[in-house]
Amino acid sequence: MQKIMDVFQRQDGIIIACPTYDLTPSSLYLRFAQRFLAYELSFLLDIG
């Protein structure tokens, strides 16, 4: 996850897309989103 966050912090913008099944995101995306919450504050502070 730290490698992904390092790449995110160097970008001007990020677009994330995922398929939906019965109007809910895929389990892979949900797992990513839950892990991303731990990094969200530092990410927002870095990008301003």
Side-chain angles (χ1 to χ4, degrees), residues 1 8 14-21 24-37:
M1 191 67 179
F8 278 7
I14 299 167
I15 298 174
I16 298 174
C18 71
T20 58
Y21 303 102
T24 58
S26 68
S27 62
L28 183 62
Y29 170 75
L30 289 176
R31 191 174 348 155
F32 167 77
Q34 290 169 351
R35 292 187 72 187
F36 180 73
L37 287 175

